[in-house]
Amino acid sequence: MFRLAARNFAARNINVAAPSVVAPRLALAARSRFVPRAAFSAAAGLSEEEITTRVLDVLKSFEKVDSSKLSKTAKFSEDLGLDSLDAVEVVMAVEEEFAIEIPDAEADEITTVQQAIDYIAKTPAAH
Amino acid sequence: MSSLPSPFTAAHRSYVKSLYRRILQNELNWIVQRDLWRARALSIRAEFDRNRDVNDPRALATVLAKAEAALADRKHPDPYRPPEAPDGTKWERNLPPPVGPIFEHEKYNEEHGRHGGGH
């Protein structure tokens, strides 16, 4: 804390001294050196469409899934013809796509594409 | 194994799904390269499919116990954790500051008959 205070004090002194010592053009050049070159701010969360397209892309990559039957409202077992172990693989692929971990109990409940989308939408850690 | 759920129930189904998931994830901890992992996953799937028609509860219990033992034997000592999951590298970092009404000390002191300037 004291070191910070000392630095602030020193910085203020330099600021006071600068106009009288340094020529204006030089001062400008010194200042322009600190122009930030990249913004490190985080992007906003995932949008609904983005989640939908990415989940559907994950499902498209499964060879057992008929991509013509693929839609947002499709159920894994009835519409896509996946058995329960395939559904486990789908959930694991979705987990990997969004870099999250879905607990066992909640992974069990995901049986439709819409449920997967809803789960991702309510998970803040999904990327 | 008396702790296993009885076969052909929803509990049994979800138990087998969980077992499959745990085995696949454990395999993923050992083998990071996805194409190599895929081959292992296919062989695991083949093993599950081979025992698909085991209907005898006793035989089923043996099969499941064997699978559990194999999983426990091959358990990864340092499994992968997603960064923001509990125990991940980003777990509980950059917590959002508490957002709420500011505690008004002066008002509190007035209401409770305390006066400023210490005791």
Side-chain angles (χ1 to χ4, degrees):
Chain A
M1 200 177 100
F2 289 117
R3 217 173 338 150
L4 193 70
R7 207 190 303 152
N8 283 346
F9 182 66
R12 210 180 310 136
N13 272 359
I14 286 167
N15 280 350
V16 168
S20 58
V21 178
V22 187
R25 227 185 67 220
L26 208 63
L28 198 68
R31 218 178 301 147
S32 67
R33 243 188 301 158
F34 298 107
V35 169
R37 320 202 86 183
F40 294 103
S41 48
L46 295 168
S47 68
E48 185 84 29
E49 306 98 79
E50 197 188 347
I51 295 172
T52 308
T53 48
R54 279 170 68 182
V55 168
L56 290 181
D57 280 347
V58 164
L59 275 160
K60 253 178 239 165
S61 67
F62 274 77
E63 53 184 321
K64 284 180 189 168
V65 173
D66 184 3
S67 55
S68 63
K69 288 179 190 163
L70 202 53
S71 74
K72 220 173 130 179
T73 52
K75 289 177 184 164
F76 291 159
S77 55
E78 284 92 343
D79 303 327
L80 302 179
L82 299 173
D83 63 16
S84 52
L85 293 187
D86 292 328
V88 171
E89 287 177 33
V90 168
V91 171
M92 278 187 72
V94 168
E95 271 183 339
E96 201 176 322
E97 168 69 23
F98 291 94
I100 51 168
E101 191 178 47
I102 304 177
D104 251 12
E106 284 164 85
D108 237 22
E109 284 165 18
I110 297 177
T111 55
T112 67
V113 177
Q114 186 60 52
Q115 279 173 346
I117 292 168
D118 288 346
Y119 188 87
I120 300 298
K122 77 175 169 70
T123 308
H127 294 297
Chain B
M1 295 273 295
S2 57
S3 60
L4 285 174
S6 59
F8 318 116
T9 59
H12 178 254
R13 181 186 294 266
S14 85
Y15 167 74
V16 172
K17 276 165 80 175
S18 144
L19 178 66
Y20 183 55
R21 200 175 134 87
R22 279 182 288 141
I23 291 176
L24 281 186
Q25 270 172 346
N26 185 52
E27 216 51 51
L28 208 51
N29 290 331
W30 287 108
I31 307 169
V32 180
Q33 231 172 313
R34 291 307 194 266
D35 47 348
L36 301 181
W37 172 77
R38 187 69 197 145
R40 276 292 300 159
L42 286 176
S43 76
I44 290 165
R45 178 64 199 251
E47 205 159 321
F48 269 81
D49 281 343
R50 204 177 311 134
N51 293 319
R52 165 177 290 230
D53 298 324
V54 176
N55 294 331
D56 175 26
R58 221 164 264 176
L60 198 57
T62 320
V63 166
L64 292 176
K66 211 183 274 179
E68 284 281 4
L71 176 61
D73 203 31
R74 212 179 138 69
K75 196 113 190 116
H76 199 284
D78 187 14
Y80 172 76
R81 311 291 307 162
E84 288 179 22
D87 290 346
T89 49
K90 267 173 95 179
W91 172 241
E92 290 193 333
R93 295 216 179 188
N94 294 331
L95 286 183
V99 180
I102 294 170
F103 184 74
E104 295 194 29
H105 294 272
E106 288 185 354
K107 197 166 157 230
Y108 179 87
N109 285 348
E110 256 172 41
E111 280 172 3
H112 289 78
R114 297 181 187 169
H115 304 288
H119 296 284

